[in-house]
């Protein structure tokens, strides 16, 4: 049936057809398919090993690691403090800048003081004039833009890596923007292959660069780490150790990359593109939430949610079900900070990406 | 109130309050109490007046533990008798209001029973908090609840301790009962945690109804965990935490901890071990709100209390 047909997405001017010859020389090839089918085109045999040209990119000379962008997400706060205590300044040829992003929020152990710092980095907000009543986080965002950016300029950090926790059971999730960034995809693949202490996934946000709002977008390459589940305001050793390992693997990769190693291309899987968000059901009069995430969905981030499966259990015992035909993958299920944004969870489509061989420019 | 050698005759427990939102980000109690304020059918019982009540509405509105000071530490004699014209912290004023509505604490007019609903980030499951080992009404109620939810577990934490006992919102009542359910992050509502708390309250109200109808509860024993010692995080000279709860201890509330076993892990992986005497049973392990109270966990020791038979006294 047509509802099960895989969705083919072409980006950056390439076309995807049926014969395989058309794939040669593709700069980016994305194939989305029905998770149950596990084959890209029904009834067709397509050779996915298309001949992608190797890519060479600039060295990563200046790297920033940010913690405490949300003041109650403790792994990043403590990890950055530890890196500062160890005076981590260089990894091979790359210089490392460690940043405590939101010191006021950290002192109060709150996500933010006036507004969410990690929504302040759009082009519009970064260029808005400062006034007496400008929120603290907006001022801080412009300071960080001067320190690590300016966003979009040649002076910006080569890589900005931002550390977060979530109350959702996402394991280790990398988040970046949906652009032609082979380097980030290679880092993801390296981490995915070398970390066994947690499931590793990549979330792609399909947002134009000017509207991209998070602190990592100050860098030429952007990467956020989310590790969960961890309550806000709490530091768990197991979660901290996963974050520490992820940062170490990233720095290892950077060192190898800068020293000239070629990283072979191929397929990258467990990639999720954000499609939409689901709101909590609310009482129209009191505006109070009337249901909790259903026990069958709670803690099942990245599982498949099929039509007819439960999403919410109301306080009066009713089950609210997912009604859409396309099965999607929930993530950030029951993240504390999203209650005020009225988001119960996000839904994503799972895709595979083929990446080219990558090597630093000599 | 008279007691023979075998049965304690106690006044009926007619006025019962259920407190939610004593901490404004502990969502199960807030959600339950708001639900019951809107529709109280579920908490109605014959011979019982049940009042659901949000104790700290300003903190609930901001989804924060407290605004000025912890309400659940505010019910000290000093605070309750402080002149109300002074510029008092919000929670102290609130404690005085609550004391007027549901107390006065220590007087014959105080509410008979107050349940105070809490969540914790610690893996404590359902935990009833008992403030006095000689409150036989509470001992019998907790015994009843434990039997009713078996095979699921409900532990009893006895906070009767000269230094560690604290002045809770529920303490204005003759029979104060704390209910902690975890693990749940603050600000988050988990369905399983919500339903577990709801079920414990249901059984508690059933007990009160049976007692008020004249049922005699036979003598029984109650296994409790009595608080022993507060353990802080290792800190540097500036007061910053330098180690985390060890993975071996994390989530192991109520499990035995022996001397020599690891309790903290430094950021470089080094372990720090427990150096106490004898086996203890830690709880409130890694509760978010206790970082600022200098508590990583509290040790307890197991004890068995004897509960006398109780029966409602005739008028």
């Amino acid at each position: 049936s047509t509802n099960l047909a895989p969705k083919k997405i072409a980006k950056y001017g390439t076309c995807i057809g049926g014969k395989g010859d058309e794939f040669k020389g593709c700069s980016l090839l994305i194939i989305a398919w029905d998770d149950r089918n596990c084959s890209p085109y029904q009834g067709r045999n397509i050779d996915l090993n298309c001949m992608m040209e190797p890519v060479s990119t600039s060295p990563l000379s200046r790297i920033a690691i940010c913690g405490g962008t949300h003041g109650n997400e403790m792994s990043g706060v403590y990890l950055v403090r530890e890196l500062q205590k160890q005076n981590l300044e260089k990894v091979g040829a790359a210089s490392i800048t460690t940043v405590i992003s939101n010191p006021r929020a950290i002192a109060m152990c709150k996500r933010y003081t006036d507004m969410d710092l990690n929504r302040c980095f759009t082009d519009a907000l970064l260029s808005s004039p400062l006034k007496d009543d400008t929120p603290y986080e907006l001022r801080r965002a412009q300071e960080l833009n001067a320190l690590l950016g300016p966003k979009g300029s040649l002076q910006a950090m080569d890589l900005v890596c931002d550390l977060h926790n979530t109350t959702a059971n996402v394991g280790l999730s990398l988040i970046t923007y949906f652009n032609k960034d082979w380097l980030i995809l290679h880092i993801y693949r390296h981490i995915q292959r070398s970390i066994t202490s947690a499931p590793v996934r990549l979330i792609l946000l399909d947002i134009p660069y000017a509207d991209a709002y998070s602190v990592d977008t100050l860098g030429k390459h952007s990467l956020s780490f989310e590790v969960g589940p961890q309550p806000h305001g709490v530091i768990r050793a197991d979660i901290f150790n996963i974050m520490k390992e992820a940062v170490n693997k990233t720095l290892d990769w950077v060192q190898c990359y800068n020293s000239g190693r070629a990283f072979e291309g191929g397929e990258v899987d467990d990639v999720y593109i954000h499609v939409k968000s689901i709101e909590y059901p609310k009482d129209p009069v009191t505006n109070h939430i009337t249901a909790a995430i259903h026990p069958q969905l709670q803690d099942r981030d990245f599982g498949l949610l099929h039509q007819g499966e439960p999403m919410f259990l109301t306080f009066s015992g009713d089950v609210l079900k997912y009604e859409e035909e396309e099965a999607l993958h929930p993530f950030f299920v029951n993240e504390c900070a999203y209650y005020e944004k009225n988001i119960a969870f996000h839904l994503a489509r799972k895709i595979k990406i083929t990446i080219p061989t990558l090597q630093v420019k000599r | 109130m008279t007691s023979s050698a075998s049965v304690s005759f106690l006044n009926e427990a007619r006025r019962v309050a259920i407190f939610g939102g004593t901490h404004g980000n502990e969502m199960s109690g807030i959600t339950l109490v708001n639900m019951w304020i809107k529709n109280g059918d579920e908490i109605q019982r014959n011979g019982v007046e049940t009042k659901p009540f949000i104790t700290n509405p300003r903190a609930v509105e901001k989804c924060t533990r407290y605004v000025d000071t912890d309400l659940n530490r505010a019910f000290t004699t000093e605070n309750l008798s402080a002149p109300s014209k002074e510029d008092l912290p919000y929670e102290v004023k609130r404690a005085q209001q609550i004391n007027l509505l549901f107390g006065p604490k220590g007087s014959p007019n105080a509410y008979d029973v107050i349940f105070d609903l809490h969540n914790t980030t610690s893996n404590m499951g359902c935990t009833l908090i008992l403030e006095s080992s000689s409150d036989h009404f509470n001992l019998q109620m907790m015994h009843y609840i434990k039997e009713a939810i078996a095979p699921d577990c409900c532990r009893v934490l006895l906070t009767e301790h000269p230094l560690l006992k604290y002045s809770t919102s529920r303490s204005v009542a003759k029979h104060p009962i704390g209910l902690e359910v975890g693990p749940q992050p603050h600000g988050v509502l988990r369905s399983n945690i919500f339903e577990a708390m709801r079920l414990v309250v249901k059984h508690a109200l059933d007990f009160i109804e049976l007692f008020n109808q004249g049922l005699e509860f036979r003598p029984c024993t109650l296994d409790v965990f009595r608080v022993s010692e507060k353990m802080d995080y290792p800190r540097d000279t500036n007061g910053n935490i330098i180690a985390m709860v060890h993975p071996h201890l994390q989530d192991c509330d109520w499990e035995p901890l022996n001397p020599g076993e690891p309790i903290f892990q430094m950021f470089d992986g080094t372990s720090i071990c427990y150096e106490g005497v004898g086996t203890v049973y830690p709880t409130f392990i890694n509760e978010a709100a206790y970082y600022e109270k200098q508590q990583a966990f509290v040790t307890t020791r197991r004890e068995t209390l004897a509960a006398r038979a109780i029966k409602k006294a005739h008028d």
Side-chain angles (χ1 to χ4, degrees):
Chain A
S1 91
T2 48
N3 288 330
L4 293 181
K7 290 163 179 43
K8 292 171 268 187
I9 304 165
K11 287 244 173 188
Y12 315 114
T14 60
C15 70
I16 313 177
K19 286 187 183 171
D21 287 352
E22 289 153 316
F23 291 51
K24 280 191 185 173
C26 287
S27 57
L28 174 67
L29 180 70
I30 300 177
I31 304 167
W33 59 71
D34 183 320
D35 211 63
R36 283 166 290 182
N37 255 337
C38 293
S39 72
Y41 295 91
Q42 287 175 312
R44 299 184 190 192
N45 295 316
I46 301 296
D47 180 4
L48 282 180
N49 293 319
C50 62
M51 303 297 288
M52 293 180 79
E53 297 295 319
V55 166
S56 68
T57 40
S58 306
L60 296 175
S61 312
R62 298 165 66 232
I63 295 168
I65 302 173
C66 301
T69 299
H70 295 133
N72 54 7
E73 294 177 16
M74 307 309 290
S75 302
V77 173
Y78 280 97
L79 185 55
V80 166
R81 282 182 185 163
E82 277 306 296
L83 296 176
Q84 289 176 342
K85 270 189 214 168
Q86 292 162 24
N87 290 315
L88 179 72
E89 285 172 357
K90 273 189 107 58
V91 168
S95 73
I96 311 288
T97 302
T98 51
V99 181
I100 291 286
S101 307
N102 196 340
R104 275 202 206 171
I106 291 169
M108 298 170 66
C109 200
K110 290 180 125 52
R111 181 177 178 85
Y112 57 81
T113 61
D114 297 331
M115 66 183 287
D116 189 335
L117 177 61
N118 216 29
R119 299 292 182 275
C120 288
F121 293 89
T122 63
D123 284 5
L125 286 173
L126 287 178
S127 56
S128 64
L130 295 176
K131 297 170 194 167
D132 284 343
D133 61 351
T134 297
Y136 166 74
E137 276 84 7
L138 195 42
R139 275 181 207 277
R140 182 63 182 148
Q142 296 193 3
E143 269 173 31
L144 290 169
N145 190 36
L147 178 70
L148 306 178
K151 178 176 169 182
S153 76
L154 288 173
Q155 293 78 42
M157 287 277 160
D158 296 306
L159 171 64
V160 174
C161 197
D162 191 28
L163 309 182
H164 288 267
N165 293 114
T166 170
T167 58
N169 187 25
V170 301
L172 169 60
S173 289
L174 277 60
I175 307 181
T176 193
Y177 291 84
F178 195 0
N179 54 30
K180 200 166 58 174
D181 196 336
W182 306 123
L183 194 130
I184 294 295
L185 293 170
H186 271 279
I187 292 177
Y188 166 57
R189 190 161 69 150
H190 173 70
I191 290 176
Q192 192 186 41
R193 284 173 170 174
S194 50
I195 286 188
T196 53
S197 50
V200 184
R201 299 162 180 118
L202 177 66
I203 298 166
L204 296 181
L205 306 176
D206 196 1
I207 299 172
Y209 193 59
D211 299 331
Y213 47 70
S214 52
V215 65
D216 53 341
T217 60
L218 295 181
K220 293 174 184 145
H221 299 279
S222 316
L223 183 57
S224 287
F225 290 128
E226 285 273 2
V227 187
Q230 179 173 268
H232 297 316
V234 162
I235 180 144
R236 287 183 63 106
D238 52 359
I239 298 290
F240 175 86
N241 290 332
I242 292 168
M243 183 76 84
K244 186 164 111 167
E245 209 185 343
V247 168
N248 286 341
K249 298 292 181 206
T250 301
L251 296 177
D252 287 346
W253 187 92
V254 166
Q255 197 164 6
C256 285
Y257 168 77
N258 281 339
S259 62
R261 192 176 119 186
F263 293 91
E264 201 181 303
E267 269 175 21
V268 176
D269 60 13
D270 271 318
V271 181
Y272 297 84
I273 296 192
H274 173 259
V275 171
K276 60 183 173 184
S277 308
I278 303 293
E279 294 185 346
Y280 282 103
K282 284 188 165 183
D283 182 305
V285 173
T286 61
N287 207 37
H288 288 156
I289 284 171
T290 54
I293 300 282
H294 196 280
Q296 279 180 40
L297 176 58
Q298 178 70 56
D299 301 331
R300 278 194 48 241
D301 297 66
F302 299 106
L304 249 187
L305 182 64
H306 299 94
Q307 185 178 34
E309 287 181 342
M311 295 191 295
F312 299 104
L313 179 62
T314 72
F315 306 139
S316 46
D318 299 315
V319 177
L320 304 179
K321 298 178 183 174
Y322 178 64
E323 305 287 10
E324 306 291 320
E325 281 186 64
E326 182 189 8
L328 292 174
H329 299 264
F331 67 99
F332 283 138
V333 177
N334 211 348
E335 160 52 47
C336 173
Y338 286 176
Y339 281 61
E340 69 174 18
K341 304 186 208 288
N342 197 30
I343 294 171
F345 55 96
H346 296 303
L347 287 170
R349 204 168 278 139
K350 184 173 170 180
I351 66 169
K352 279 193 188 183
I353 297 183
T354 304
I355 57 177
T357 297
L358 186 79
Q359 192 173 25
V360 72
K361 272 182 208 161
R362 295 257 176 224
Chain B
M1 216 189 336
T2 56
S3 58
S4 68
S6 49
V7 183
S8 283
F9 291 94
L10 308 174
N11 289 336
E12 72 169 349
R14 192 172 48 83
R15 292 155 80 221
V16 173
I18 304 175
F19 284 176
T22 296
H23 295 133
N25 54 6
E26 294 178 14
M27 304 306 294
S28 307
I30 293 165
T31 308
L32 282 170
V33 165
N34 279 333
M35 194 177 80
W36 290 329
I37 286 171
K38 191 171 175 191
N39 181 350
D41 287 353
E42 197 177 305
I43 55 172
Q44 289 317 302
R45 297 291 188 279
N46 288 329
V48 188
E49 292 164 26
T50 335
K51 187 171 173 64
F53 187 77
I54 295 286
T55 43
N56 196 339
R58 276 186 60 193
V60 170
E61 199 186 349
K62 294 183 169 191
C63 196
T64 188
R65 183 177 175 84
Y66 57 80
V67 173
D68 293 330
T69 186
D70 192 335
L71 180 63
N72 216 28
R73 303 291 183 276
F75 287 76
T76 60
T77 316
E78 187 192 342
N79 278 349
L80 294 179
S81 57
S84 48
K85 285 173 192 148
E86 283 176 31
D87 193 16
L88 296 170
Y90 168 73
E91 277 86 4
V92 173
K93 285 192 237 178
R94 193 70 187 143
Q96 293 180 345
Q97 287 167 7
I98 290 167
N99 192 39
L100 282 176
L101 283 168
F102 298 96
K105 180 168 169 176
S107 81
N109 293 327
Y111 261 60
D112 297 294
V113 182
I114 295 178
F115 295 105
D116 193 20
L117 306 182
H118 288 268
N119 292 116
T120 173
T121 59
S122 305
N123 188 27
M124 291 168 73
C126 286
T127 300
L128 292 161
I129 305 190
L130 178 68
E131 300 195 355
S132 162
S133 58
S134 55
D135 184 339
H136 291 271
F137 179 86
N138 274 359
L139 297 183
Q140 286 283 0
M141 184 195 304
M142 294 185 180
H143 178 262
Y144 177 90
I145 292 169
K146 285 177 67 140
E147 282 208 327
I149 73 163
D152 289 339
C153 266
C154 188
R155 276 96 174 186
V156 177
L157 177 66
L158 175 61
T159 55
E160 187 177 64
H161 186 290
L163 296 173
L164 297 182
K165 183 165 187 174
Y166 45 91
S167 305
T168 56
S169 49
R170 56 186 178 266
S171 66
V172 304
K174 293 169 187 163
H175 305 291
I177 294 133
L179 176 54
E180 284 274 2
V181 187
Q184 179 172 269
H186 298 314
V188 163
L189 182 72
R190 289 181 66 101
S191 184
N192 60 334
I193 300 290
F194 172 85
E195 298 293 346
M197 185 179 281
R198 192 181 195 173
L199 187 61
V200 170
V201 174
K202 172 199 130 46
H203 289 307
L205 294 174
D206 289 346
F207 169 87
I208 296 172
E209 184 179 41
L210 289 168
F211 175 81
N212 286 352
Q213 285 170 357
L215 185 66
E216 178 175 324
F217 291 86
R218 290 190 298 272
C220 63
T221 58
L222 185 70
D223 290 332
V224 305
F225 293 86
R226 183 190 285 271
V227 294
S228 175
E229 193 185 0
K230 178 173 111 163
M231 302 287 288
D232 190 13
Y233 291 93
R235 293 174 190 266
D236 63 18
T237 46
N238 293 324
N240 296 316
I241 286 172
I242 55 172
M244 310 168 279
V245 170
H246 197 281
H248 175 87
L249 178 63
Q250 178 70 53
D251 302 333
C252 292
D253 299 66
W254 312 118
E255 292 177 31
L257 173 68
N258 300 301
E261 289 175 351
I263 52 175
F264 296 112
Q265 183 181 74
M266 302 188 73
F267 297 112
D268 64 0
T270 314
S271 291
I272 296 171
C273 297
Y274 179 59
E275 289 179 353
V277 177
T279 302
V280 291
Y281 297 84
T283 194
F284 275 124
I285 298 173
N286 209 349
E287 160 55 50
Y290 290 170
Y291 283 54
E292 68 175 22
K293 300 196 202 296
Q294 285 82 47
Q295 183 176 309
F297 61 95
V298 68
T299 62
T300 71
R301 290 179 196 273
R302 298 184 72 157
E303 213 172 293
T304 301
L305 301 180
R308 282 190 221 133
I310 61 169
K311 191 174 180 179
K312 185 183 80 165
H314 294 296
D315 292 333

